[in-house]
Amino acid sequence: MNVYDSARMADVLAPLGYELSDQPDDADMVILNTCHIREKAAEKVYSELGRLRQFKNKKAETGEAMILAVAGCVAQAEGEEVFARAPFIDMVFGPQTYHRLPEMIAKATRSSGGVLDIDFPAEAKFDSLPAASGTDTRSAFLTVQEGCDKFCTFCVVPYTRGAEFSRPAKDVLADARRLVADGVCEITLLGQNVNNYHGEGPGTQEWGLGRLIHALAEIDGLARIRYTTSYPADVDDELIAAHRDVPALMPFLHLPVQSGSDRILKAMNRRHDSSDYRRLVEQLRAARPDLALSSDFIVGFPGETDDDFAQTLNLVDEIGFVQAYSFKYSPRPGTPAAEYDRQVDDEEKTGRLLRLQDLLNKQQRSFNESLVGKTLPVLFDRHGRFEDQLVGRSPYMQPVHIDGGANLFGRIVDVHIKAGFANSLAGEVSESIGGAATGEPPNDAKERISA
Ligand code: SAH
């Protein structure tokens, strides 16, 4: 979502004459778009600010100004505190205020004090943002829902992103049509709680995510649809049916479970227990047998015992994930779990994390290896690290590398998989298969750099 938000900031700033740059040293403005989800992410902001300050000082020596800004959830959560820790910052603003950037910049250049905007303004941010601009990628993010009302006891999202809000279906469809007209053929729908999407539909109807996916699939040229991140208790029958009925909906689902212990899930306020999760996975796999699952895990939540942790390992063993994100529990200021007794010590958390990751890595590798010999459609949208190498995504989200094939950039091409590694696949495109490429490459296809 921060990648998407950064692109929207770039849209707001374009009319003021700002362009994206990958060189912070002589930029007129540097915006750090930040994440507050774990302490490590939040702390990184301050070390990065220290580095950027050097550039700002250098520029000042030549009589030029660099606006230095902190956006996103660290800004929202820490507000004034950011100025206290880094007084050389010009602007601090939260995720709901990006449409007001021009005003903030005007103020920051006029005044000598810092500009702070961490309101949740009454006007809807999305109504005031310019339409998503022309993109030079084939795969785009599209925010359909923002905020969260779930209040998992470990999580800061409800405090930093605010209450749940779903964009009207017609706005989402209009954005999607515009993206496809610009050459996009894969859209990932975004929301903190994306499957609780309940946007205004035509008339007085509300649309759920399943309905929205059906409507999106009718857009000519939109070959692939994905969505992230989902809350297990909010997966409804319509969404499960969409996995069965909509071929463009890719067979990959990120469905965070967090823990395999019912006691811990309850203490996390997750509203699903481990059997609910197992049942849900069964239903999803019945709808789409090749569905590949990904998840998030937290180890060392307060009160987690060896036995609780063993139940997480059991669940992973039983379900089988093709990739996953796993984290040591990080106490976040203002969240209930940060105040719980029986915090787990760091060494214990590290040990559990390593054991869990070892199992998850094995599952990931064995899934990747199981695809060797198969032919998969791959959307090539990046250049590889080596000259003449192209990288794309399989339907199951793995990066797939091929050598050569520069003319395939931006296309979906059938690739014969030759090798499976820890995190990626390698393959080749045979002459005859190469002819099966669909879609024209975009005019100016280069990797997009986020602000
Ligand atoms: N529904 C959200 C989840 C965002 S956070 C979304 O996708 O937008 C992503 C993951 O970070 C969570 O699923 C959880 O596993 C992890 N996480 C969140 N808060 C955490 C904390 N306090 N400590 C450790 N991990 C955390």
Side-chain angles (χ1 to χ4, degrees):
M1 188 168 279
N2 273 5
V3 171
Y4 173 88
D5 282 351
S6 294
R8 296 287 73 73
M9 285 189 233
D11 290 341
V12 174
L13 294 172
L16 306 186
Y18 287 96
E19 280 172 30
L20 291 177
S21 161
D22 52 5
Q23 298 294 334
D25 45 352
D26 68 344
D28 298 308
M29 172 159 63
V30 178
I31 302 174
L32 279 189
N33 193 6
T34 62
C35 175
H36 198 243
I37 197 79
R38 286 170 294 278
E39 195 179 353
K40 215 164 149 187
E43 277 308 310
K44 245 197 256 172
V45 175
Y46 292 100
S47 54
E48 194 63 11
L49 285 175
R51 196 176 70 88
L52 291 168
R53 182 189 195 174
Q54 314 290 324
F55 297 136
K56 185 177 166 88
N57 289 346
K58 264 226 179 88
K59 253 199 130 180
E61 279 166 22
T62 65
E64 285 184 274
M66 175 192 282
I67 297 177
L68 204 46
V70 179
C73 292
V74 172
Q76 186 66 41
E78 299 191 0
E80 287 284 359
E81 178 71 21
V82 182
F83 289 122
R85 284 183 68 174
F88 51 92
I89 296 298
D90 302 289
M91 308 191 302
V92 172
F93 53 97
Q96 303 305 324
T97 65
Y98 300 153
H99 54 297
R100 303 207 292 220
L101 258 171
E103 263 171 84
M104 288 186 242
I105 291 172
K107 265 194 222 155
T109 42
R110 274 199 310 266
S111 74
S112 50
V115 175
L116 177 70
D117 191 346
I118 50 172
D119 280 359
F120 286 107
E123 80 264 27
K125 170 176 80 171
F126 289 104
D127 291 346
S128 327
L129 281 171
S133 73
T135 163
D136 51 14
T137 59
R138 297 283 271 159
S139 177
F141 290 126
L142 175 51
T143 293
V144 302
Q145 181 277 335
E146 229 185 296
C148 186
D149 298 336
K150 298 296 190 230
F151 293 91
C152 298
T153 55
F154 52 80
C155 190
V156 289
V157 168
Y159 312 98
T160 55
R161 288 267 176 187
E164 277 189 29
F165 166 80
S166 295
R167 299 179 62 199
K170 69 169 180 5
D171 294 359
V172 173
L173 290 167
D175 273 2
R177 281 192 202 101
R178 209 172 301 119
L179 288 167
V180 172
D182 280 343
V184 164
C185 64
E186 174 178 83
I187 290 182
T188 302
L189 307 174
L190 297 180
Q192 268 81 35
N193 219 346
V194 71
N195 63 320
N196 199 28
Y197 175 80
H198 49 269
E200 185 189 315
T204 53
Q205 278 181 333
E206 271 200 349
W207 279 17
L209 187 64
R211 186 76 189 269
L212 183 69
I213 287 170
H214 269 282
L216 285 164
E218 276 169 28
I219 299 176
D220 229 11
L222 182 55
R224 293 178 160 198
I225 302 170
R226 303 179 186 276
Y227 61 91
T228 200
T229 295
S230 295
Y231 187 76
D234 286 335
V235 177
D236 63 11
D237 292 345
E238 203 174 27
L239 185 57
I240 296 174
H243 280 279
R244 183 190 61 215
D245 300 333
V246 180
L249 184 56
M250 290 291 100
F252 173 88
L253 179 59
H254 183 65
L255 193 61
V257 64
Q258 313 299 356
S259 166
S261 154
D262 292 344
R263 220 173 54 80
I264 296 297
L265 288 169
K266 195 150 188 230
M268 289 176 164
N269 190 29
R270 284 294 285 178
R271 302 179 214 191
H272 63 84
D273 64 19
S274 59
S275 1
D276 297 330
Y277 191 85
R278 284 180 171 91
R279 219 172 9 250
L280 184 58
V281 167
E282 247 170 60
Q283 290 174 315
L284 284 159
R285 282 178 170 157
R288 179 86 203 224
D290 68 334
L291 187 74
L293 285 168
S294 151
S295 202
D296 289 341
F297 297 89
I298 297 177
V299 301
F301 184 83
E304 186 188 71
T305 61
D306 284 342
D307 182 56
D308 293 314
F309 177 64
Q311 292 176 44
T312 299
L313 294 178
N314 278 347
L315 181 116
V316 172
D317 212 27
E318 224 175 279
I319 300 227
F321 294 95
V322 305
Q323 69 135 76
Y325 302 98
S326 46
F327 314 99
K328 293 196 272 189
Y329 169 70
S330 167
R332 307 307 292 128
T335 60
E339 310 295 322
Y340 289 175
D341 300 335
R342 301 179 59 207
Q343 297 286 332
V344 176
D345 77 47
D346 193 58
E347 210 175 311
E348 185 64 45
K349 284 186 201 168
T350 305
R352 287 180 192 171
L353 186 67
L354 292 176
R355 280 177 63 198
L356 175 61
Q357 290 185 339
D358 187 50
L359 177 59
L360 290 166
N361 290 342
K362 279 190 186 125
Q363 292 190 338
Q364 181 168 353
R365 183 182 277 274
S366 95
F367 177 66
N368 290 347
E369 286 170 359
S370 76
L371 295 171
V372 173
K374 299 219 156 59
T375 297
L376 300 177
V378 175
L379 167 56
F380 288 105
D381 64 347
R382 274 185 296 150
H383 291 286
R385 229 177 314 152
F386 303 107
E387 175 128 13
D388 212 26
Q389 189 184 47
L390 272 191
V391 189
R393 294 270 176 190
S394 80
Y396 310 108
M397 275 305 269
Q398 298 108 322
V400 183
H401 303 258
I402 59 164
D403 291 325
N407 61 325
L408 302 177
F409 192 95
R411 299 192 187 187
I412 298 174
V413 185
D414 280 341
V415 174
H416 184 67
I417 304 302
K418 308 285 278 184
F421 306 108
N423 299 303
S424 65
L425 305 173
E428 66 183 22
V429 179
S430 73
E431 281 305 310
S432 59
I433 291 174
T438 53
E440 287 302 307
N443 294 335
D444 181 19
K446 58 182 185 307
E447 218 171 325
R448 192 183 173 92
I449 300 151
S450 56

